Amino acid sequence: MIKKTVADVSAALQGVEDGMTIMLGGFGLCGIPENAISELVRLGVKDLTCISNNAGVDDFGLGLLLHKRQINKMISSYVGENEEFERQMLSGELEVELTPQGTLAEKCRAAQAGFPAFYTPAGYGTEVSMGKETREFNGKMYVLEEAFKADFSLVKAWKGDEAGNLIFKGTARNFNPSMCGAAKITVAEVEELVPAGELDPNEIHIPGIFVSRIFQGKDYEKRIEQRTVRKRN
Amino acid sequence: MIKKTVADVSAALQGVEDGMTIMLGGFGLCGIPENAISELVRLGVKDLTCISNNAGVDDFGLGLLLHKRQINKMISSYVGENEEFERQMLSGELEVELTPQGTLAEKCRAAQAGFPAFYTPAGYGTEVSMGKETREFNGKMYVLEEAFKADFSLVKAWKGDEAGNLIFKGTARNFNPSMCGAAKITVAEVEELVPAGELDPNEIHIPGIFVSRIFQGKDYEKRIEQRTVRKRN
Amino acid sequence: MLDKNGIAKRIAKEVKDGYYVNLGIGIPTLVANFVRDDISVEFQSENGVLGMGPFPFEGEEDADIINAGKQTITTLPGASFFDSALSFGMIRGQHVDLTILGAMEVAENGDIANWKIPGKMVKGMGGAMDLVASAENIIVAMMHTNRAGESKLLKRCTLPLTGVQCVKKIVTNLAVLEVTEDGFRLLERAPGVSVEDIKQATEGTLIVEGDIPEMQL
Amino acid sequence: MLDKNGIAKRIAKEVKDGYYVNLGIGIPTLVANFVRDDISVEFQSENGVLGMGPFPFEGEEDADIINAGKQTITTLPGASFFDSALSFGMIRGQHVDLTILGAMEVAENGDIANWKIPGKMVKGMGGAMDLVASAENIIVAMMHTNRAGESKLLKRCTLPLTGVQCVKKIVTNLAVLEVTEDGFRLLERAPGVSVEDIKQATEGTLIVEGDIPEMQL
């Protein structure tokens, strides 16, 4: 068994530098690597390009990095819910590349699985396809999209083991699995870190081969963006 | 919940006709749809094109269909271990299209996920890439491969529920998941069929949306091709 | 004339037994409330869940179980969770039977614009471009006119497109319309709305053939 | 001169701590028996398992747990199962550190042929084309000459190729060689084998610089 455990978030993020491209899992605030984001804030690394479906809210998630002006460019599918983001974007301080959500996911998966590029129908005929190759297959038009290239991938899982195997929970899975192994170094933080052999090999969502470093996260806030409930009768 | 259960293998294979293209899960004899193959033999459908990583052995798996001369064409990555196959291939009765194993898997996955084509490095510079588009990305050469088109996909899972959700076991998973939803109709046979709600939504390998019909299989032989063991000390 | 719930109620009639359905944010979300009890339908949310149920009871919210609108949800028996790549595989691979989403503009050729207004803050397309480019069956739920009273059913979209030639049906506060090769074909009038009202509110080509029935809700 | 086990033993020295390794059928399979106990290595099999262990004890075989050679196997703590698409994602995405496979011919430019002999029954390439086209670190394990005594290390392959310019290192019964821009560079001699013996058995360009040490096994 190849051991991937590191002592803490600080050891896990060793090597992160100014100007790097970083992938971050999560959908909204669900399944985001909270510990790793806090460490990026602490490290104060700047000029980051962040690949993440969303950009957090003003005081949580990637909003914390935006607040400190650590991000130069965001590659996302949806960036609402964030006033500081809006201000920086409108003032030109922040570059934003909007990518259809399914394309974003597949650009991660392509990087993970060694595909340089793929054809998708999403965005054909829109400004998203401008400057990109388009092509017809079986009477339908497709856009050629290329795999992401990133330095670090920061993901959050529910359970993990020493070998780096990961299990996600509910919709906190989202972009996390496809980002594993999609960057040069993949850092996984987990709510529960167990010895190798405790996870059923049949129930593992992402094998440890896609994970470079794993650590037990702490103090998870798991903030809810839209608390919707119904009354009991 | 959308119910996918059908009474038996006969109901599950309703609509299979001569000349169709059929995908079959399994690696060697591991994880093959035993019940569906028996039913194809019973139905006597002919001129089939079969997409399957292997071709079974003389008296089991796809060998049973070969024996009855029901297959016109095999699309596989490895077809050893089968004398009748060899005879039919050398005599020209059987057409064989050999495809690299990873390309075979991805051609299934592309069909499942709505990708018309993808670029892979496998087979570049070999006879596999003859007549296909090749292209350079980042200094490396790739071959353009297209998604499969099939009429039926016949897969085997370990557990399944009424909603068509599937869980596979061990290496019997292999090609089965990527073939789900990769054909017009997907038929899943399972060792254990349970009511909806009994499988943990977090542990499902293939959501029911990719499965058209599901039934409880019976009399699984699960033959072992190479029984390798060690002695206890 | 319908309100938002009325539009949702009318669209719910388009949801058939055995359908997997993706609902966009806004009016489409309301559709789930009006689907008949005697048919089997599963709702997919592109962030990675199939078989969504109602909102959780107070105190039972789980931060790890949300829909694409970031709302806390529950799941029903037969539900499954999956990653974003597989989720868009469902969508792109046309396994989802019906997509219902809102729009700023729809053109008579089926083009749709619903993600960007030049000069205003752009929040992003989210999954909308994947959905409209992939789905075989797309229904748009929207008001017939914007706040300034201008038609949202146009000859050509003026806003940046989300997808081309993809919308099949539109349900507005005034009417049900089908997108055909010749333009918007009027199928039904909302209660109390005349064909003339609809003509006035439609900039694109409107095809009116025979008697136009009033919607049955 | 080495036998098959000797070749496997020498190759085992190339397996480093922390490596994920894919072993082909034949001599490569034997490599697992000789890897040092004090390093951490995981074996991947392309049919969908990482963390393979030894063969099962008699009576404990599980038809659902096999390797790519269709042999019954066991798994070690930390193992995982996955589908074929993900498995080849590992391979294609260069997450597997070392691939060891057999060959019929290797050319001095790194081309490899190991799947087809025209006129004979062709069993297929299995995963070999994906492996050789993707892996950054490929070692070929084979006999230096074929049964007819002809060299398998050639200027150009004569058989249909499995992959181009991909082999980095070759371990045969006679020698360890590295594929360089100028040809096969001789690194080590097998015990009791002379440089002259190796020259005789090598059709491709052989580069011999300085003293060639004998293998340490």
Side-chain angles (χ1 to χ4, degrees):
Chain A
M1 188 264 301
I2 300 171
K3 215 167 171 169
K4 301 293 174 71
T5 43
V6 294
D8 55 20
V9 66
S10 166
L13 263 63
Q14 206 79 48
V16 173
E17 289 173 17
D18 292 353
M20 281 189 164
T21 297
I22 299 184
M23 291 181 161
L24 299 105
F27 183 94
L29 300 179
C30 182
I32 59 173
E34 295 187 17
N35 284 241
I37 291 171
S38 298
E39 178 67 7
L40 288 175
V41 172
R42 197 189 67 79
L43 288 170
V45 283
K46 294 188 306 286
D47 301 329
L48 301 175
T49 293
C50 289
I51 299 169
S52 167
N53 189 57
N54 309 93
V57 295
D58 274 310
D59 62 345
F60 202 58
L62 285 182
L64 299 173
L65 291 175
L66 287 162
H67 186 72
K68 298 267 187 179
R69 317 267 171 94
Q70 293 177 262
I71 304 178
N72 247 2
K73 181 177 178 181
M74 281 294 312
I75 300 176
S76 306
S77 89
Y78 189 83
V79 293
E81 282 61 271
N82 195 319
E83 280 180 30
E84 177 61 16
F85 185 101
E86 185 164 346
R87 197 196 58 69
Q88 290 183 26
M89 181 175 155
L90 294 176
S91 72
E93 290 167 66
L94 180 67
E95 190 186 343
V96 178
E97 186 176 314
L98 291 167
T99 302
Q101 194 176 147
T103 300
L104 188 79
E106 195 64 18
K107 281 165 79 81
C108 296
R109 193 252 173 190
Q112 173 191 72
F115 293 109
F118 57 91
Y119 289 99
T120 177
Y124 174 74
T126 76
E127 60 182 55
V128 162
S129 66
M130 274 169 53
K132 292 175 186 159
E133 176 184 317
T134 60
R135 181 160 173 174
E136 187 181 321
F137 290 96
N138 309 312
K140 184 166 175 165
M141 294 302 295
Y142 294 84
V143 184
L144 184 69
E145 295 278 0
E146 297 198 2
F148 280 129
K149 289 185 184 66
D151 298 294
F152 271 82
S153 192
L154 308 178
V155 306
K156 153 75 169 49
W158 179 37
K159 294 181 188 174
D161 69 15
E162 292 171 303
N165 294 306
L166 303 178
I167 296 178
F168 304 89
K169 188 184 151 214
T171 56
R173 196 181 314 186
N174 57 63
F175 286 84
N176 286 296
S178 303
M179 288 180 174
C180 291
K184 287 176 201 151
I185 294 173
T186 296
V187 174
E189 60 182 82
V190 296
E191 290 179 56
E192 194 185 345
L193 184 61
V194 302
E198 284 205 9
L199 302 179
D200 183 336
N202 217 38
E203 293 177 1
I204 287 164
H205 292 144
I206 280 293
I209 193 172
F210 294 113
V211 174
S212 322
R213 306 169 187 168
I214 189 169
F215 70 97
Q216 164 92 54
K218 56 185 182 185
D219 303 331
Y220 283 104
E221 190 174 331
K222 298 218 262 184
R223 204 184 285 190
I224 292 175
E225 272 184 88
Q226 305 284 338
R227 188 177 302 269
T228 46
V229 296
R230 66 190 149 130
K231 297 261 180 224
R232 285 176 200 277
N233 291 337
Chain B
M1 192 262 301
I2 301 170
K3 215 167 172 167
K4 300 294 174 68
T5 43
V6 294
D8 55 21
V9 66
S10 164
L13 264 61
Q14 206 80 49
V16 173
E17 288 174 17
D18 290 355
M20 279 188 165
T21 297
I22 299 185
M23 289 180 164
L24 299 104
F27 182 95
L29 300 179
C30 182
I32 60 173
E34 295 187 16
N35 283 242
I37 291 171
S38 297
E39 178 68 7
L40 288 175
V41 172
R42 198 191 66 80
L43 288 170
V45 282
K46 294 186 307 285
D47 301 328
L48 300 176
T49 293
C50 290
I51 299 168
S52 168
N53 189 57
N54 310 92
V57 294
D58 273 310
D59 61 344
F60 202 57
L62 285 182
L64 299 172
L65 291 175
L66 286 162
H67 186 73
K68 299 269 190 180
R69 316 265 171 95
Q70 292 178 263
I71 304 178
N72 247 1
K73 181 179 177 180
M74 281 293 312
I75 301 175
S76 305
S77 87
Y78 189 82
V79 294
E81 281 63 272
N82 196 318
E83 281 180 29
E84 176 61 15
F85 186 100
E86 186 165 346
R87 198 198 56 71
Q88 289 184 26
M89 181 174 156
L90 294 176
S91 73
E93 288 168 66
L94 180 67
E95 188 186 344
V96 179
E97 185 177 314
L98 291 168
T99 302
Q101 194 176 147
T103 301
L104 189 79
E106 194 65 18
K107 282 165 78 81
C108 296
R109 194 254 174 187
Q112 172 192 72
F115 294 108
F118 57 91
Y119 289 99
T120 178
Y124 173 73
T126 76
E127 62 183 55
V128 161
S129 66
M130 274 168 53
K132 292 175 187 160
E133 176 183 318
T134 59
R135 182 163 173 172
E136 186 181 322
F137 290 95
N138 310 312
K140 184 167 174 164
M141 294 301 296
Y142 294 84
V143 184
L144 185 70
E145 293 280 0
E146 297 198 1
F148 280 129
K149 289 186 183 68
D151 298 295
F152 272 81
S153 192
L154 309 178
V155 306
K156 152 77 168 47
W158 180 36
K159 294 182 188 174
D161 71 13
E162 291 171 303
N165 294 306
L166 302 178
I167 295 178
F168 303 89
K169 188 184 149 212
T171 56
R173 195 182 315 186
N174 56 64
F175 287 84
N176 286 296
S178 303
M179 287 181 174
C180 291
K184 288 176 200 149
I185 294 174
T186 297
V187 174
E189 59 182 80
V190 295
E191 289 179 56
E192 192 186 345
L193 184 61
V194 302
E198 283 204 11
L199 302 180
D200 183 336
N202 217 40
E203 293 177 2
I204 287 164
H205 292 144
I206 280 293
I209 193 171
F210 294 112
V211 174
S212 322
R213 305 168 188 169
I214 188 169
F215 70 97
Q216 165 92 54
K218 56 185 180 186
D219 302 331
Y220 283 104
E221 190 174 331
K222 299 219 260 182
R223 203 182 288 188
I224 291 175
E225 272 184 87
Q226 305 285 338
R227 187 177 304 269
T228 46
V229 295
R230 67 189 149 133
K231 297 261 180 222
R232 284 175 203 278
N233 291 338
Chain C
M1 194 149 72
L2 303 176
D3 60 6
K4 287 180 177 184
N5 275 309
I7 294 173
K9 207 166 171 182
R10 175 58 192 83
I11 290 178
K13 291 178 66 180
E14 304 287 323
V15 178
K16 310 291 186 216
D17 190 38
Y19 268 18
Y20 294 99
V21 182
N22 181 291
L23 300 176
I25 292 166
I27 302 174
T29 303
L30 301 172
V31 171
N33 301 333
F34 300 107
V35 172
R36 281 163 48 188
D37 283 341
D38 61 341
I39 61 172
S40 297
V41 173
E42 285 187 34
F43 293 103
Q44 193 254 17
S45 194
E46 63 266 29
N47 58 317
V49 54
L50 188 68
M52 276 190 289
F55 294 143
F57 288 119
E58 270 185 283
E60 295 184 359
E61 314 91 275
D62 183 339
D64 290 328
I65 303 182
I66 64 169
N67 66 15
K70 284 109 180 178
Q71 299 171 309
T72 46
I73 56 157
T74 59
T75 57
L76 298 172
S80 54
F81 296 115
F82 36 85
D83 68 62
S84 301
L86 192 77
S87 183
F88 281 91
M90 283 179 196
I91 290 166
R92 201 184 304 100
Q94 304 189 328
H95 305 285
V96 174
D97 299 290
L98 176 60
T99 291
I100 303 169
L101 77 178
M104 298 167 179
E105 299 178 346
V106 176
E108 63 187 51
N109 66 348
D111 287 359
I112 179 173
N114 74 350
W115 76 286
K116 183 174 182 178
I117 301 175
K120 288 207 182 171
M121 166 66 188
V122 181
K123 293 189 170 184
M125 69 292 279
M129 283 193 181
D130 305 271
L131 281 159
V132 302
S134 308
E136 285 191 304
N137 194 1
I138 298 173
I139 300 179
V140 165
M142 65 177 189
M143 304 309 278
H144 212 101
T145 52
N146 63 21
R147 284 176 196 172
E150 297 159 340
S151 180
K152 295 170 72 173
L153 289 91
L154 307 175
K155 286 198 179 306
R156 288 283 168 272
C157 290
T158 62
L159 295 171
L161 296 181
T162 308
V164 297
Q165 299 176 40
C166 52
V167 176
K168 299 281 180 293
K169 206 172 233 184
I170 306 153
V171 179
T172 74
N173 53 330
L174 303 184
V176 179
L177 309 101
E178 189 182 30
V179 175
T180 70
E181 286 197 358
D182 306 314
F184 300 112
R185 194 157 78 86
L186 183 59
L187 297 179
E188 299 172 21
R189 297 171 293 112
V193 173
S194 69
V195 169
E196 196 50 41
D197 294 336
I198 296 163
K199 272 187 189 162
Q200 294 260 338
T202 307
E203 191 233 65
T205 308
L206 186 74
I207 303 163
V208 182
E209 285 172 353
D211 268 358
I212 306 299
E214 196 174 281
M215 288 179 203
Q216 303 298 315
L217 291 170
Chain D
M1 193 150 73
L2 303 176
D3 62 4
K4 288 182 178 183
N5 276 308
I7 295 175
K9 208 166 170 184
R10 175 57 191 84
I11 291 179
K13 290 178 66 180
E14 304 287 322
V15 178
K16 309 290 185 216
D17 189 38
Y19 269 18
Y20 294 99
V21 182
N22 182 290
L23 301 177
I25 292 166
I27 302 176
T29 303
L30 302 173
V31 172
N33 301 332
F34 300 108
V35 172
R36 281 162 48 188
D37 283 342
D38 61 340
I39 62 172
S40 298
V41 172
E42 286 187 34
F43 294 103
Q44 194 252 18
S45 193
E46 63 266 29
N47 59 315
V49 54
L50 188 68
M52 276 190 289
F55 295 144
F57 288 119
E58 272 185 282
E60 294 184 359
E61 315 91 274
D62 184 340
D64 290 329
I65 302 184
I66 64 168
N67 65 16
K70 284 107 179 177
Q71 299 172 309
T72 45
I73 54 157
T74 59
T75 57
L76 298 173
S80 54
F81 296 115
F82 36 86
D83 67 62
S84 301
L86 192 76
S87 184
F88 282 91
M90 282 178 197
I91 291 165
R92 203 184 303 101
Q94 303 188 328
H95 304 286
V96 175
D97 299 290
L98 176 61
T99 291
I100 304 169
L101 77 178
M104 298 166 179
E105 298 178 346
V106 176
E108 62 186 52
N109 67 347
D111 288 0
I112 179 173
N114 73 350
W115 76 285
K116 185 175 181 177
I117 300 174
K120 287 207 181 172
M121 167 66 189
V122 182
K123 292 188 170 184
M125 69 291 280
M129 284 194 181
D130 306 271
L131 282 159
V132 301
S134 307
E136 287 190 303
N137 194 1
I138 298 172
I139 300 180
V140 165
M142 64 177 188
M143 303 310 278
H144 212 100
T145 53
N146 63 21
R147 283 176 196 172
E150 297 159 342
S151 181
K152 294 170 75 173
L153 288 90
L154 308 174
K155 287 201 179 302
R156 287 284 168 274
C157 288
T158 62
L159 295 171
L161 296 181
T162 308
V164 296
Q165 298 176 37
C166 52
V167 176
K168 300 280 181 293
K169 206 171 235 184
I170 306 154
V171 179
T172 74
N173 52 328
L174 302 184
V176 180
L177 309 102
E178 190 182 29
V179 175
T180 70
E181 286 198 358
D182 306 315
F184 299 111
R185 194 156 80 85
L186 183 59
L187 298 179
E188 298 172 23
R189 296 171 293 111
V193 173
S194 70
V195 169
E196 195 50 40
D197 293 336
I198 297 164
K199 271 187 188 162
Q200 295 259 337
T202 307
E203 189 234 67
T205 307
L206 186 74
I207 303 163
V208 183
E209 286 172 354
D211 267 357
I212 305 299
E214 196 174 283
M215 288 180 204
Q216 303 300 315
L217 290 170

